[in-house]
Amino acid sequence: MSKKFSLFILGGTGDLAKKKLLPSLSRLYSKGLLVGLEKVYSLARSKREDWEKVACELDRGLGKLCNFLPFDVKDTSSYESLGKILQTLEGQELIFFLSISPYLYEEAVRGLGKLLRNYANPRKIVIEKPFGFDTVSARRLNNLLYRYFIEEEIYRIDHFLGKETVQNIFSLRFSNSIFEGIWNRSFVDHVQILALEKVGVEGRGEFYDKVGAIRDMLQNHMLQMLAFTAMEPPAQMSEQFIRDEKVKVLRNTRIEKLIRGRYEGYLQDAGVESSSRETFVCAKVMVDNFRWHGVPFYLVTGKKLSKKLTQVVIAFKEVPASLTRLLDCIPKQNRIVFQTAPESKLQVVFELRPPTGRFVACPLETVMEYRFPSEFEEAYEVLLLEIVEGERSLFIRDDEIETMWEVVEPVLDLKDEPFVYPQGVKLPPQARDFIALEGRQWYL
Ligand SMILES: NC(=O)c1ccc[n+]([C@@H]2O[C@H](COP(=O)([O-])OP(=O)(O)OC[C@H]3O[C@@H](n4cnc5c(N)ncnc54)[C@H](OP(=O)(O)O)[C@@H]3O)[C@@H](O)[C@H]2O)c1
């Protein structure tokens, strides 16, 4: 018989719950993938009517399991009301999803932790990003969690890991033998990891100005994509060994140089008078191990750019110049591209002779493309399913999150003024110069 479980979304009336969590749960439920789900409780201080606006959009399948509980993370009587519900759920697994402001995580962990001491139910706690604001606060949150939970009960989310493309970096590398021999400094010239956005701070200005692009993107999503690209093969395909390798490569990772920018109009958008926060970062990151020694990883993320583009590009070394001296051209670098947005696909880019009838000719760039099929619309569907099933490979371990903070620690809260770039540019000119100075170009 399958286990029974109930889900509690703290912050169940917020943006994440409304746009991602509840719709994802609803789709999973209607496909029959949430066997054993008994109840979904949305917890928030909001009025029940606010929650109903969210919940009524759900299809009737999941809708009938949904409930609302007025709840203030800071108020002890809220935990008493929650306790009354828990008394009715004996034997069920309880999943608590913290979809609240990160400034409330510690209070919520403490409150839930104390309450759960009175119950024997199996439990899981899911924590959204950002997990801490620097190494010290991340460590403090880990330590607090350990007062009440064990690591096996803790799920630290980075929703990029729920994406088909990101998982396929791992799969392409470790389910095929043809790539392993070239996946190193002898063949790879450099790696580009891009997460470019069209949107600005979108009404989250107050929060965004406390974090900026380094905390919001570089510390988590970008470093996770780097880890999947650069990690060594795990000893076995198990969560422990996969996460061991990610931690190992992150420990060898350091930021060599970095530039920061801010889009024109940011101060008005964020509603702040002055700020040293960045909305754009371009970093050269080195992985100091035998596989990657000397190979730069360029990590770029920014807001209010001309298009949304998320991809990892593995750019291979050029062919020796002597081979092409007599031709009036230089073949482009071969590339393997893992694109997450706008499309979820893999591209292999290489050079072939054009059909001109000439044997010796300038080669033409040729692209082989494979679109990743997916059963799921949304990364959160994948992650929610993994949480329910207790599979933790796609979640961040305690030492991993702390190591990621250690990588960015030297560049957190820089005081120099970020340069200002016009909205809608492909990339700020400073980023073009950044890579051009190293004799390279962006593949956008
Ligand atoms: N939105 C996204 O797409 C997204 C993506 C990735 C990560 N995240 C992370 O997910 C978390 C939630 O983000 P969000 O965008 O959903 O935030 P949000 O829209 O501001 O929602 C916050 C939720 O928390 C509730 N809340 C606030 N104070 C509370 C309190 N004292 N006690 C109980 N509930 C309280 C709010 O309702 P009341 O004010 O009525 O209580 C609301 O339901 C954040 O950590 C964020 O960084 C969000």
Side-chain angles (χ1 to χ4, degrees):
M1 212 180 79
S2 64
K3 68 174 181 202
K4 288 187 176 169
F5 65 99
S6 285
L7 182 65
F8 297 81
I9 305 176
L10 279 75
T13 57
D15 186 65
L16 182 68
K18 193 160 50 189
K19 290 199 191 131
K20 308 277 185 185
L21 301 181
L22 289 167
S24 295
L25 285 167
S26 182
R27 284 191 289 269
L28 291 174
Y29 188 76
S30 64
K31 287 184 190 163
L33 295 172
L34 296 178
V35 180
L37 176 63
E38 294 277 304
K39 292 272 183 237
V40 177
Y41 287 92
S42 292
L43 280 60
R45 298 167 309 171
S46 334
K47 296 194 187 73
R48 175 173 284 273
E49 301 89 86
D50 297 336
W51 168 74
E52 278 167 359
K53 275 186 221 138
V54 180
C56 289
E57 286 164 18
L58 299 175
D59 69 50
R60 265 182 276 142
L62 183 74
K64 66 180 191 288
L65 303 186
C66 288
N67 282 286
F68 178 72
L69 176 69
F71 188 88
D72 185 342
V73 165
K74 299 179 177 179
D75 178 11
T76 46
S77 68
S78 290
Y79 295 93
E80 286 163 18
S81 314
L82 178 58
K84 289 195 183 122
I85 293 176
L86 300 191
Q87 281 165 18
T88 67
L89 306 177
E90 202 184 324
Q92 285 190 31
E93 181 175 276
L94 309 174
I95 305 178
F96 296 91
F97 196 120
L98 302 196
S99 179
I100 45 177
S101 156
Y103 294 100
L104 294 173
Y105 288 168
E106 290 192 12
E107 254 168 309
V109 169
R110 215 173 278 120
L112 290 174
K114 283 184 187 158
L115 175 68
L116 286 170
R117 281 181 173 160
N118 305 315
Y119 298 87
N121 303 55
R123 73 275 318 260
K124 291 173 180 161
I125 184 160
V126 186
I127 300 167
E128 259 300 336
K129 70 144 220 204
F131 188 99
F133 297 93
D134 53 22
T135 315
V136 170
S137 55
R139 201 165 285 152
R140 196 173 57 222
L141 186 52
N142 273 333
N143 288 339
L144 181 66
L145 279 159
Y146 286 149
R147 265 206 241 163
Y148 306 105
F149 300 90
I150 55 169
E151 180 62 22
E152 287 68 23
E153 294 167 341
I154 304 170
Y155 292 74
R156 299 173 193 82
I157 284 215
D158 182 324
H159 71 267
F160 267 45
L161 300 194
K163 292 180 189 280
E164 206 63 48
T165 308
V166 177
Q167 292 175 28
N168 269 307
I169 300 176
F170 184 86
S171 180
L172 184 96
R173 291 194 56 202
F174 304 129
S175 315
N176 300 289
S177 56
I178 55 173
F179 298 105
E180 174 55 21
I182 56 168
W183 215 264
N184 56 51
R185 68 192 166 108
S186 301
F187 290 87
V188 176
D189 174 65
H190 73 278
V191 177
Q192 298 181 10
I193 302 180
L194 309 171
L196 313 182
E197 296 181 287
K198 249 182 122 163
V199 295
V201 293
E202 302 289 284
R204 293 168 66 220
E206 197 193 326
F207 170 72
Y208 192 86
D209 199 56
K210 294 196 184 98
V211 291
I214 294 176
R215 285 185 173 85
D216 196 41
M217 296 294 291
L218 194 73
Q219 182 272 340
N220 37 65
H221 307 320
M222 314 286 290
L223 285 183
Q224 279 298 317
M225 289 197 281
L226 180 143
F228 271 80
T229 308
M231 66 190 276
E232 294 298 317
Q236 283 171 30
M237 290 294 171
S238 73
E239 61 186 44
Q240 185 200 333
F241 294 126
I242 293 170
R243 299 200 289 185
D244 281 352
E245 291 305 331
K246 283 167 71 199
V247 174
K248 202 167 89 189
V249 78
L250 287 164
R251 288 214 168 106
N252 284 332
T253 299
R254 70 183 157 85
I255 297 176
E256 185 167 292
K257 62 179 181 170
L258 173 142
I259 55 170
R260 304 183 310 136
R262 185 163 71 211
Y263 68 79
E264 219 166 8
Y266 166 78
L267 297 181
Q268 295 90 304
D269 270 14
V272 292
E273 278 181 14
S274 67
S275 171
S276 54
R277 278 297 165 226
E278 69 288 328
T279 60
F280 178 90
V281 182
C282 171
K284 179 180 178 185
V285 171
M286 304 305 287
V287 177
D288 295 326
N289 61 18
F290 276 109
R291 186 185 286 269
W292 297 114
H293 178 68
V295 178
F297 286 68
Y298 298 104
L299 274 51
V300 184
T301 181
K303 290 191 175 295
K304 286 272 183 188
L305 298 169
S306 64
K307 62 175 180 186
K308 181 170 175 64
L309 179 69
T310 312
Q311 63 183 24
V312 176
V313 181
I314 321 294
F316 290 87
K317 295 199 184 225
E318 284 166 359
V319 293
S322 57
L323 275 176
T324 54
R325 199 166 294 139
L326 297 180
L327 299 174
D328 196 16
C329 57
I330 303 170
K332 295 215 181 71
Q333 290 180 306
N334 295 149
R335 282 148 5 243
I336 294 180
V337 182
F338 297 94
Q339 188 176 98
T340 298
E343 289 180 281
S344 178
K345 66 183 180 188
L346 168 73
Q347 287 181 322
V348 181
V349 186
F350 51 97
E351 304 276 301
L352 279 181
R353 63 178 277 279
T356 55
R358 307 273 315 273
F359 175 54
V360 177
C362 275
L364 272 184
E365 190 168 272
T366 310
V367 181
M368 255 168 48
E369 201 164 87
Y370 177 73
R371 274 165 229 276
F372 297 120
S374 179
E375 255 188 79
F376 301 105
E377 229 173 271
E378 181 56 63
Y380 276 96
E381 288 171 50
V382 177
L383 296 177
L384 285 163
L385 214 49
E386 299 281 83
I387 293 166
V388 169
E389 286 169 9
E391 167 55 55
R392 294 177 308 129
S393 301
L394 293 179
F395 299 87
I396 318 290
R397 204 167 63 188
D398 55 347
D399 50 349
E400 189 175 354
I401 201 100
E402 291 176 18
T403 309
M404 286 154 75
W405 278 115
E406 280 162 13
V407 174
V408 297
E409 194 75 40
V411 295
L412 290 177
D413 304 317
L414 296 171
K415 291 290 172 259
D416 60 316
E417 192 68 6
F419 60 78
V420 175
Y421 59 93
Q423 294 187 18
V425 286
K426 247 180 159 181
L427 279 181
Q430 290 83 347
R432 299 202 170 280
D433 297 345
F434 188 92
I435 201 162
L437 274 173
E438 311 219 331
R440 299 186 172 100
Q441 62 174 79
W442 296 113
Y443 293 110
L444 302 177

